[in-house]
Amino acid sequence: MQQQKLVIGVGSPHGDDAVGWRVVDQLATNVPATVQAVAVREPTQILPHLADAERVWIIDGSRSGGRPGAITRLEWHAGCLLGDSRASSHGCGVDDVLRLSSALGYPASNVVIYAIELSETKPATPLTPEVAAAVTEVTQRILAEIGCQIT
C-alpha cells in the first residue's frame, strides 16, 4: 500500500469534545485522495491507521486550565513528544499510543498533535464559539502543512 498522509480527530459528540471530529469533517472534502481523514473516539483507535502513514496529524481536545479555544501544536519525533505535554483525559493518551505504536513495530514519525483547549463538554451541546474558531484555524493550519487550499 502506498504511504499516505493521515489526519485523525479524537473526540466524542459532546460539546467541545467534538473538536477533533469537526476538523476531520472540514478537511474531508478539501484534501486529495492521498490524505486520509478519520475520526476516532479514543487514542487507542489510532493504532490501526498508523502502519501506512508517512505523515500524521492528530487533533484532540485538552483541559489544561488554559483559555478555551487555545491551540497547542506539539511534534512527535523519534519516540518523544516535543513541546508542552499534558496529561490525557483518556485512559491511554496520544503520547502513550505513539509509544505503543513504536513498540509494536509501527514507528510513528512525522506526527503533529494539535491540542485545543475545551470549555463545554455536556451532551447535546454545540461547540462553543471560541472552540469553533479554533477548529477553523487548525483546519487551515493542517491544510497549509499538507500543501492544500480550501476549495
Side-chain angles (χ1 to χ4, degrees):
M1 180 179 215
Q2 178 185 6
Q3 287 195 329
Q4 62 184 358
K5 294 176 177 139
L6 173 64
V7 180
I8 302 173
V10 181
S12 77
H14 305 298
D16 289 345
D17 196 39
V19 68
W21 291 6
R22 297 301 162 255
V23 171
V24 165
D25 289 345
Q26 287 188 13
L27 287 170
T29 59
N30 293 297
V31 293
T34 57
V35 179
Q36 180 185 14
V38 297
V40 300
R41 281 194 170 264
E42 60 181 58
T44 56
Q45 294 173 325
I46 293 170
L47 280 172
H49 300 282
L50 294 176
D52 295 313
E54 67 174 278
R55 182 109 168 110
V56 180
W57 291 264
I58 300 171
I59 305 93
D60 195 8
S62 70
R63 286 201 172 221
S64 65
R67 173 187 55 79
I71 300 166
T72 302
R73 184 184 187 278
L74 305 166
E75 294 186 24
W76 172 270
H77 289 288
C80 68
L81 196 59
L82 304 177
D84 180 21
S85 179
R86 294 185 168 93
S88 174
S89 64
H90 306 283
C92 184
V94 171
D95 184 49
D96 299 319
V97 168
L98 294 173
R99 289 180 194 278
L100 179 58
S101 172
S102 293
L104 292 173
Y106 300 107
S109 59
N110 296 315
V111 177
V112 172
I113 302 163
Y114 278 102
I116 301 173
E117 190 71 24
L118 306 180
S119 177
E120 186 61 57
T121 58
K122 291 181 184 172
T125 58
L127 292 178
T128 57
E130 300 87 0
V131 172
V135 166
T136 301
E137 183 175 338
V138 168
T139 300
Q140 291 171 348
R141 288 186 190 186
I142 292 172
L143 285 169
E145 291 178 31
I146 291 172
C148 297
Q149 295 180 4
I150 293 180
T151 57

